[in-house]
């Protein structure tokens, strides 16, 4: 390897102490008369030994947005350092390097897997992958309260809705209904009763949506039918003039 001649008697020679990398060995043979043969050259590459224990990681958990997955790397050789990378459709997810990973909206309909890199001094680095999971499905909103309506169901008065506390990050949409049919343009948290509402029952539908989650709609009806308003001030009429028989 270092081009230093070595005298050897016999057809074999033991190599030892070689560093990692490429090597070559040139061999010549001489007879009793001193005649030297043409050199025979052998080249090879010396590599680090491979690690013995390289198990396949296992991913567990519910494949739904908002849920947490866990990887169990398995048992590697003693003295091994493990590095974990979560993969979405085979691509590393930035910052996802712990044994636990919470699924986000970006993971919806993707397959998840884990890459484990095992390093050990004096050995080749080992890289193993878990099996890919099935596709991630939509999450389920944890808090979807039924709304309540407050206000007087009288013509000219205003009804309001209280939505309660929904899951953080949910966007709410409102739709007021008259007799079960949507009222055009009535999409705010309050609604002022008009002539068309008299004799009808008013209700509201509150729809909660969040990226990566199943949309939820909750409805509630006002307690009473809408009634006409009464005149605030009135007086008893009087008759004036002479009565002639």
């Amino acid at each position: 390897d270092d081009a230093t001649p070595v005298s050897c008697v016999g057809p074999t020679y033991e190599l030892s102490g070689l560093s990692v990398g490429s090597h070559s060995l040139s061999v010549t043979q001489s007879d009793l008369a001193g005649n030297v043969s043409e050199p025979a050259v052998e080249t090879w590459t010396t590599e680090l030994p491979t690690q013995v224990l390289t198990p396949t990681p296992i991913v567990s958990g519910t494949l739904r947005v908002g849920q947490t997955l866990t990887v169990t790397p398995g048992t590697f050789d003693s003295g091994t350092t493990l590095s974990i990378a979560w993969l979405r459709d085979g691509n590393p997810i930035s910052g996802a390097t712990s044994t636990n990973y919470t699924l986000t909206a970006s993971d919806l309909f993707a397959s998840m897997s884990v890459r484990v890199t095992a390093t050990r001094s004096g050995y080749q680095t080992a890289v193993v992958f878990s099996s890919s999971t099935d596709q991630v499905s939509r999450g389920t909103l944890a808090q979807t309260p039924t709304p309540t309506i407050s206000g007087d169901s009288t013509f000219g008065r205003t009804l309001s809705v209280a939505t309660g506390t929904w899951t953080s990050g949910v966007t709410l949409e409102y739709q007021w209904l008259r007799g079960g049919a949507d009222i055009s343009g009535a999409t705010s948290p309050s609604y002022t009763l008009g002539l068309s509402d008299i004799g009808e029952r008013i209700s509201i539908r509150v729809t909660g949506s969040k990226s990566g989650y199943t949309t939820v709609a909750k409805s509630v009806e006002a307690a009473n039918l809408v009634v006409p308003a009464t005149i605030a001030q009135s007086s008893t009429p009087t008759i004036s003039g002479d009565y002639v028989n």
Side-chain angles (χ1 to χ4, degrees), residues 127-158:
V127 181
V128 292
F129 295 84
S130 72
S131 299
S132 295
T133 68
D134 294 332
Q135 289 187 345
V136 176
S137 61
R138 292 186 181 276
T140 302
L141 296 176
Q143 296 173 277
T144 58
T146 300
T148 58
I149 294 176
S150 61
D152 186 358
S153 295
T154 301
F155 167 73
R157 302 291 179 85
T158 298

PDB file of all heavy atoms in Angstrom, residues 127-158:
ATOM      1  N   VAL A 127     -28.873   3.348   8.472  1.00  0.00           N
ATOM      2  CA  VAL A 127     -30.108   4.098   8.251  1.00  0.00           C
ATOM      3  C   VAL A 127     -31.231   3.097   7.991  1.00  0.00           C
ATOM      4  O   VAL A 127     -31.138   2.282   7.061  1.00  0.00           O
ATOM      5  CB  VAL A 127     -29.979   5.062   7.060  1.00  0.00           C
ATOM      6  CG1 VAL A 127     -31.278   5.835   6.871  1.00  0.00           C
ATOM      7  CG2 VAL A 127     -28.823   6.036   7.283  1.00  0.00           C
ATOM      8  N   VAL A 128     -32.282   3.162   8.824  1.00  0.00           N
ATOM      9  CA  VAL A 128     -33.414   2.243   8.675  1.00  0.00           C
ATOM     10  C   VAL A 128     -34.706   3.039   8.631  1.00  0.00           C
ATOM     11  O   VAL A 128     -34.791   4.158   9.163  1.00  0.00           O
ATOM     12  CB  VAL A 128     -33.464   1.215   9.825  1.00  0.00           C
ATOM     13  CG1 VAL A 128     -32.299   0.258   9.733  1.00  0.00           C
ATOM     14  CG2 VAL A 128     -33.453   1.914  11.180  1.00  0.00           C
ATOM     15  N   PHE A 129     -35.725   2.470   7.988  1.00  0.00           N
ATOM     16  CA  PHE A 129     -37.008   3.141   7.802  1.00  0.00           C
ATOM     17  C   PHE A 129     -38.148   2.277   8.360  1.00  0.00           C
ATOM     18  O   PHE A 129     -38.103   1.047   8.255  1.00  0.00           O
ATOM     19  CB  PHE A 129     -37.275   3.420   6.316  1.00  0.00           C
ATOM     20  CG  PHE A 129     -36.316   4.391   5.688  1.00  0.00           C
ATOM     21  CD1 PHE A 129     -35.087   3.955   5.213  1.00  0.00           C
ATOM     22  CD2 PHE A 129     -36.644   5.729   5.576  1.00  0.00           C
ATOM     23  CE1 PHE A 129     -34.197   4.844   4.628  1.00  0.00           C
ATOM     24  CE2 PHE A 129     -35.764   6.626   4.991  1.00  0.00           C
ATOM     25  CZ  PHE A 129     -34.542   6.181   4.518  1.00  0.00           C
ATOM     26  N   SER A 130     -39.144   2.954   8.905  1.00  0.00           N
ATOM     27  CA  SER A 130     -40.371   2.245   9.280  1.00  0.00           C
ATOM     28  C   SER A 130     -41.204   1.998   8.029  1.00  0.00           C
ATOM     29  O   SER A 130     -40.936   2.572   6.958  1.00  0.00           O
ATOM     30  CB  SER A 130     -41.181   3.080  10.269  1.00  0.00           C
ATOM     31  OG  SER A 130     -41.763   4.195   9.604  1.00  0.00           O
ATOM     32  N   SER A 131     -42.217   1.176   8.158  1.00  0.00           N
ATOM     33  CA  SER A 131     -43.181   1.023   7.069  1.00  0.00           C
ATOM     34  C   SER A 131     -44.021   2.293   6.952  1.00  0.00           C
ATOM     35  O   SER A 131     -44.232   3.001   7.937  1.00  0.00           O
ATOM     36  CB  SER A 131     -44.089  -0.178   7.330  1.00  0.00           C
ATOM     37  OG  SER A 131     -43.343  -1.371   7.412  1.00  0.00           O
ATOM     38  N   SER A 132     -44.492   2.593   5.746  1.00  0.00           N
ATOM     39  CA  SER A 132     -45.373   3.745   5.556  1.00  0.00           C
ATOM     40  C   SER A 132     -46.769   3.420   6.074  1.00  0.00           C
ATOM     41  O   SER A 132     -47.262   2.303   5.899  1.00  0.00           O
ATOM     42  CB  SER A 132     -45.442   4.132   4.076  1.00  0.00           C
ATOM     43  OG  SER A 132     -44.185   4.587   3.623  1.00  0.00           O
ATOM     44  N   THR A 133     -47.397   4.402   6.700  1.00  0.00           N
ATOM     45  CA  THR A 133     -48.747   4.205   7.222  1.00  0.00           C
ATOM     46  C   THR A 133     -49.779   4.382   6.121  1.00  0.00           C
ATOM     47  O   THR A 133     -49.462   4.773   4.991  1.00  0.00           O
ATOM     48  CB  THR A 133     -49.038   5.223   8.334  1.00  0.00           C
ATOM     49  OG1 THR A 133     -49.098   6.543   7.741  1.00  0.00           O
ATOM     50  CG2 THR A 133     -47.969   5.193   9.405  1.00  0.00           C
ATOM     51  N   ASP A 134     -51.033   4.109   6.459  1.00  0.00           N
ATOM     52  CA  ASP A 134     -52.134   4.483   5.575  1.00  0.00           C
ATOM     53  C   ASP A 134     -52.263   6.003   5.565  1.00  0.00           C
ATOM     54  O   ASP A 134     -51.584   6.710   6.317  1.00  0.00           O
ATOM     55  CB  ASP A 134     -53.443   3.850   6.062  1.00  0.00           C
ATOM     56  CG  ASP A 134     -53.428   2.339   5.945  1.00  0.00           C
ATOM     57  OD1 ASP A 134     -52.714   1.826   5.064  1.00  0.00           O
ATOM     58  OD2 ASP A 134     -54.118   1.672   6.748  1.00  0.00           O
ATOM     59  N   GLN A 135     -53.153   6.528   4.752  1.00  0.00           N
ATOM     60  CA  GLN A 135     -53.323   7.977   4.650  1.00  0.00           C
ATOM     61  C   GLN A 135     -53.944   8.556   5.925  1.00  0.00           C
ATOM     62  O   GLN A 135     -54.773   7.923   6.585  1.00  0.00           O
ATOM     63  CB  GLN A 135     -54.209   8.329   3.455  1.00  0.00           C
ATOM     64  CG  GLN A 135     -53.536   8.108   2.104  1.00  0.00           C
ATOM     65  CD  GLN A 135     -54.375   8.631   0.957  1.00  0.00           C
ATOM     66  OE1 GLN A 135     -55.573   8.909   1.113  1.00  0.00           O
ATOM     67  NE2 GLN A 135     -53.780   8.769  -0.204  1.00  0.00           N
ATOM     68  N   VAL A 136     -53.516   9.766   6.240  1.00  0.00           N
ATOM     69  CA  VAL A 136     -54.053  10.485   7.393  1.00  0.00           C
ATOM     70  C   VAL A 136     -55.434  11.045   7.044  1.00  0.00           C
ATOM     71  O   VAL A 136     -55.633  11.619   5.968  1.00  0.00           O
ATOM     72  CB  VAL A 136     -53.108  11.641   7.802  1.00  0.00           C
ATOM     73  CG1 VAL A 136     -53.702  12.451   8.947  1.00  0.00           C
ATOM     74  CG2 VAL A 136     -51.737  11.092   8.181  1.00  0.00           C
ATOM     75  N   SER A 137     -56.399  10.861   7.942  1.00  0.00           N
ATOM     76  CA  SER A 137     -57.765  11.340   7.703  1.00  0.00           C
ATOM     77  C   SER A 137     -58.014  12.648   8.446  1.00  0.00           C
ATOM     78  O   SER A 137     -57.182  13.107   9.235  1.00  0.00           O
ATOM     79  CB  SER A 137     -58.784  10.287   8.141  1.00  0.00           C
ATOM     80  OG  SER A 137     -58.648  10.023   9.525  1.00  0.00           O
ATOM     81  N   ARG A 138     -59.161  13.239   8.199  1.00  0.00           N
ATOM     82  CA  ARG A 138     -59.523  14.503   8.847  1.00  0.00           C
ATOM     83  C   ARG A 138     -59.688  14.310  10.356  1.00  0.00           C
ATOM     84  O   ARG A 138     -60.141  13.267  10.815  1.00  0.00           O
ATOM     85  CB  ARG A 138     -60.813  15.064   8.260  1.00  0.00           C
ATOM     86  CG  ARG A 138     -60.678  15.525   6.816  1.00  0.00           C
ATOM     87  CD  ARG A 138     -61.954  16.223   6.328  1.00  0.00           C
ATOM     88  NE  ARG A 138     -61.824  16.632   4.949  1.00  0.00           N
ATOM     89  CZ  ARG A 138     -61.245  17.769   4.546  1.00  0.00           C
ATOM     90  NH1 ARG A 138     -60.765  18.601   5.473  1.00  0.00           N
ATOM     91  NH2 ARG A 138     -61.153  18.080   3.276  1.00  0.00           N
ATOM     92  N   GLY A 139     -59.337  15.363  11.094  1.00  0.00           N
ATOM     93  CA  GLY A 139     -59.508  15.341  12.533  1.00  0.00           C
ATOM     94  C   GLY A 139     -60.945  15.607  12.925  1.00  0.00           C
ATOM     95  O   GLY A 139     -61.787  16.005  12.106  1.00  0.00           O
ATOM     96  N   THR A 140     -61.257  15.385  14.187  1.00  0.00           N
ATOM     97  CA  THR A 140     -62.580  15.633  14.739  1.00  0.00           C
ATOM     98  C   THR A 140     -62.496  16.780  15.739  1.00  0.00           C
ATOM     99  O   THR A 140     -61.664  16.744  16.654  1.00  0.00           O
ATOM    100  CB  THR A 140     -63.118  14.380  15.451  1.00  0.00           C
ATOM    101  OG1 THR A 140     -63.161  13.288  14.521  1.00  0.00           O
ATOM    102  CG2 THR A 140     -64.521  14.624  16.005  1.00  0.00           C
ATOM    103  N   LEU A 141     -63.321  17.805  15.559  1.00  0.00           N
ATOM    104  CA  LEU A 141     -63.323  18.938  16.475  1.00  0.00           C
ATOM    105  C   LEU A 141     -63.780  18.472  17.854  1.00  0.00           C
ATOM    106  O   LEU A 141     -64.815  17.810  17.993  1.00  0.00           O
ATOM    107  CB  LEU A 141     -64.244  20.043  15.957  1.00  0.00           C
ATOM    108  CG  LEU A 141     -63.827  20.690  14.621  1.00  0.00           C
ATOM    109  CD1 LEU A 141     -64.876  21.705  14.179  1.00  0.00           C
ATOM    110  CD2 LEU A 141     -62.468  21.348  14.741  1.00  0.00           C
ATOM    111  N   ALA A 142     -63.014  18.843  18.872  1.00  0.00           N
ATOM    112  CA  ALA A 142     -63.312  18.374  20.224  1.00  0.00           C
ATOM    113  C   ALA A 142     -64.459  19.134  20.866  1.00  0.00           C
ATOM    114  O   ALA A 142     -65.253  18.564  21.615  1.00  0.00           O
ATOM    115  CB  ALA A 142     -62.055  18.489  21.096  1.00  0.00           C
ATOM    116  N   GLN A 143     -64.561  20.432  20.585  1.00  0.00           N
ATOM    117  CA  GLN A 143     -65.588  21.266  21.213  1.00  0.00           C
ATOM    118  C   GLN A 143     -66.504  21.852  20.149  1.00  0.00           C
ATOM    119  O   GLN A 143     -66.081  22.675  19.338  1.00  0.00           O
ATOM    120  CB  GLN A 143     -64.937  22.392  22.027  1.00  0.00           C
ATOM    121  CG  GLN A 143     -64.115  21.896  23.212  1.00  0.00           C
ATOM    122  CD  GLN A 143     -63.356  23.017  23.883  1.00  0.00           C
ATOM    123  OE1 GLN A 143     -62.283  23.413  23.461  1.00  0.00           O
ATOM    124  NE2 GLN A 143     -63.948  23.556  24.951  1.00  0.00           N
ATOM    125  N   THR A 144     -67.772  21.417  20.142  1.00  0.00           N
ATOM    126  CA  THR A 144     -68.767  21.893  19.175  1.00  0.00           C
ATOM    127  C   THR A 144     -70.090  22.129  19.902  1.00  0.00           C
ATOM    128  O   THR A 144     -71.054  21.394  19.701  1.00  0.00           O
ATOM    129  CB  THR A 144     -68.959  20.879  18.040  1.00  0.00           C
ATOM    130  OG1 THR A 144     -69.364  19.625  18.624  1.00  0.00           O
ATOM    131  CG2 THR A 144     -67.673  20.667  17.257  1.00  0.00           C
ATOM    132  N   PRO A 145     -70.170  23.154  20.755  1.00  0.00           N
ATOM    133  CA  PRO A 145     -71.376  23.364  21.557  1.00  0.00           C
ATOM    134  C   PRO A 145     -72.583  23.776  20.717  1.00  0.00           C
ATOM    135  O   PRO A 145     -72.439  24.370  19.641  1.00  0.00           O
ATOM    136  CB  PRO A 145     -70.967  24.481  22.515  1.00  0.00           C
ATOM    137  CG  PRO A 145     -69.903  25.224  21.779  1.00  0.00           C
ATOM    138  CD  PRO A 145     -69.148  24.199  20.998  1.00  0.00           C
ATOM    139  N   THR A 146     -73.765  23.446  21.216  1.00  0.00           N
ATOM    140  CA  THR A 146     -75.002  23.884  20.568  1.00  0.00           C
ATOM    141  C   THR A 146     -75.259  25.342  20.919  1.00  0.00           C
ATOM    142  O   THR A 146     -75.224  25.719  22.093  1.00  0.00           O
ATOM    143  CB  THR A 146     -76.189  23.024  21.030  1.00  0.00           C
ATOM    144  OG1 THR A 146     -75.940  21.646  20.680  1.00  0.00           O
ATOM    145  CG2 THR A 146     -77.483  23.477  20.369  1.00  0.00           C
ATOM    146  N   PRO A 147     -75.523  26.203  19.921  1.00  0.00           N
ATOM    147  CA  PRO A 147     -75.738  27.633  20.208  1.00  0.00           C
ATOM    148  C   PRO A 147     -77.066  27.875  20.917  1.00  0.00           C
ATOM    149  O   PRO A 147     -77.940  27.002  20.959  1.00  0.00           O
ATOM    150  CB  PRO A 147     -75.724  28.275  18.822  1.00  0.00           C
ATOM    151  CG  PRO A 147     -76.164  27.174  17.902  1.00  0.00           C
ATOM    152  CD  PRO A 147     -75.619  25.904  18.490  1.00  0.00           C
ATOM    153  N   THR A 148     -77.213  29.081  21.460  1.00  0.00           N
ATOM    154  CA  THR A 148     -78.474  29.497  22.082  1.00  0.00           C
ATOM    155  C   THR A 148     -78.885  30.842  21.507  1.00  0.00           C
ATOM    156  O   THR A 148     -78.032  31.661  21.137  1.00  0.00           O
ATOM    157  CB  THR A 148     -78.340  29.611  23.606  1.00  0.00           C
ATOM    158  OG1 THR A 148     -77.293  30.550  23.921  1.00  0.00           O
ATOM    159  CG2 THR A 148     -78.003  28.259  24.223  1.00  0.00           C
ATOM    160  N   ILE A 149     -80.214  31.060  21.430  1.00  0.00           N
ATOM    161  CA  ILE A 149     -80.763  32.317  20.904  1.00  0.00           C
ATOM    162  C   ILE A 149     -81.363  33.116  22.051  1.00  0.00           C
ATOM    163  O   ILE A 149     -82.075  32.568  22.899  1.00  0.00           O
ATOM    164  CB  ILE A 149     -81.840  32.046  19.828  1.00  0.00           C
ATOM    165  CG1 ILE A 149     -81.220  31.391  18.602  1.00  0.00           C
ATOM    166  CG2 ILE A 149     -82.543  33.345  19.423  1.00  0.00           C
ATOM    167  CD1 ILE A 149     -82.224  31.006  17.541  1.00  0.00           C
ATOM    168  N   SER A 150     -81.047  34.387  22.057  1.00  0.00           N
ATOM    169  CA  SER A 150     -81.649  35.286  23.047  1.00  0.00           C
ATOM    170  C   SER A 150     -82.334  36.438  22.320  1.00  0.00           C
ATOM    171  O   SER A 150     -81.997  36.765  21.184  1.00  0.00           O
ATOM    172  CB  SER A 150     -80.577  35.832  24.005  1.00  0.00           C
ATOM    173  OG  SER A 150     -79.601  36.577  23.295  1.00  0.00           O
ATOM    174  N   GLY A 151     -83.323  37.031  22.987  1.00  0.00           N
ATOM    175  CA  GLY A 151     -84.067  38.144  22.397  1.00  0.00           C
ATOM    176  C   GLY A 151     -85.552  37.870  22.356  1.00  0.00           C
ATOM    177  O   GLY A 151     -86.010  36.750  22.624  1.00  0.00           O
ATOM    178  N   ASP A 152     -86.310  38.897  22.008  1.00  0.00           N
ATOM    179  CA  ASP A 152     -87.774  38.850  21.972  1.00  0.00           C
ATOM    180  C   ASP A 152     -88.252  38.587  20.557  1.00  0.00           C
ATOM    181  O   ASP A 152     -87.905  39.311  19.627  1.00  0.00           O
ATOM    182  CB  ASP A 152     -88.318  40.191  22.483  1.00  0.00           C
ATOM    183  CG  ASP A 152     -89.830  40.203  22.615  1.00  0.00           C
ATOM    184  OD1 ASP A 152     -90.461  39.185  22.268  1.00  0.00           O
ATOM    185  OD2 ASP A 152     -90.374  41.230  23.040  1.00  0.00           O
ATOM    186  N   SER A 153     -89.041  37.515  20.373  1.00  0.00           N
ATOM    187  CA  SER A 153     -89.530  37.147  19.042  1.00  0.00           C
ATOM    188  C   SER A 153     -90.712  38.015  18.646  1.00  0.00           C
ATOM    189  O   SER A 153     -91.830  37.532  18.411  1.00  0.00           O
ATOM    190  CB  SER A 153     -89.910  35.659  19.007  1.00  0.00           C
ATOM    191  OG  SER A 153     -88.792  34.841  19.199  1.00  0.00           O
ATOM    192  N   THR A 154     -90.471  39.296  18.570  1.00  0.00           N
ATOM    193  CA  THR A 154     -91.504  40.280  18.202  1.00  0.00           C
ATOM    194  C   THR A 154     -91.008  41.096  17.022  1.00  0.00           C
ATOM    195  O   THR A 154     -89.825  41.464  16.964  1.00  0.00           O
ATOM    196  CB  THR A 154     -91.813  41.216  19.383  1.00  0.00           C
ATOM    197  OG1 THR A 154     -92.265  40.436  20.493  1.00  0.00           O
ATOM    198  CG2 THR A 154     -92.878  42.222  19.024  1.00  0.00           C
ATOM    199  N   PHE A 155     -91.905  41.378  16.096  1.00  0.00           N
ATOM    200  CA  PHE A 155     -91.551  42.187  14.923  1.00  0.00           C
ATOM    201  C   PHE A 155     -90.792  43.449  15.349  1.00  0.00           C
ATOM    202  O   PHE A 155     -91.184  44.148  16.276  1.00  0.00           O
ATOM    203  CB  PHE A 155     -92.811  42.577  14.154  1.00  0.00           C
ATOM    204  CG  PHE A 155     -92.585  43.646  13.134  1.00  0.00           C
ATOM    205  CD1 PHE A 155     -91.907  43.375  11.961  1.00  0.00           C
ATOM    206  CD2 PHE A 155     -93.027  44.952  13.366  1.00  0.00           C
ATOM    207  CE1 PHE A 155     -91.696  44.379  11.029  1.00  0.00           C
ATOM    208  CE2 PHE A 155     -92.825  45.955  12.438  1.00  0.00           C
ATOM    209  CZ  PHE A 155     -92.146  45.654  11.255  1.00  0.00           C
ATOM    210  N   GLY A 156     -89.667  43.697  14.656  1.00  0.00           N
ATOM    211  CA  GLY A 156     -88.879  44.884  14.934  1.00  0.00           C
ATOM    212  C   GLY A 156     -87.797  44.676  15.978  1.00  0.00           C
ATOM    213  O   GLY A 156     -86.889  45.504  16.103  1.00  0.00           O
ATOM    214  N   ARG A 157     -87.892  43.602  16.751  1.00  0.00           N
ATOM    215  CA  ARG A 157     -86.876  43.329  17.765  1.00  0.00           C
ATOM    216  C   ARG A 157     -85.710  42.530  17.146  1.00  0.00           C
ATOM    217  O   ARG A 157     -85.808  41.988  16.056  1.00  0.00           O
ATOM    218  CB  ARG A 157     -87.486  42.550  18.931  1.00  0.00           C
ATOM    219  CG  ARG A 157     -88.648  43.266  19.605  1.00  0.00           C
ATOM    220  CD  ARG A 157     -88.163  44.500  20.370  1.00  0.00           C
ATOM    221  NE  ARG A 157     -89.262  45.208  21.010  1.00  0.00           N
ATOM    222  CZ  ARG A 157     -89.758  44.889  22.201  1.00  0.00           C
ATOM    223  NH1 ARG A 157     -89.260  43.860  22.872  1.00  0.00           N
ATOM    224  NH2 ARG A 157     -90.758  45.598  22.710  1.00  0.00           N
ATOM    225  N   THR A 158     -84.617  42.424  17.891  1.00  0.00           N
ATOM    226  CA  THR A 158     -83.412  41.743  17.395  1.00  0.00           C
ATOM    227  C   THR A 158     -83.124  40.489  18.203  1.00  0.00           C
ATOM    228  O   THR A 158     -83.152  40.510  19.431  1.00  0.00           O
ATOM    229  CB  THR A 158     -82.192  42.686  17.456  1.00  0.00           C
ATOM    230  OG1 THR A 158     -82.423  43.818  16.607  1.00  0.00           O
ATOM    231  CG2 THR A 158     -80.916  41.976  17.005  1.00  0.00           C
TER     232      THR A 158
END
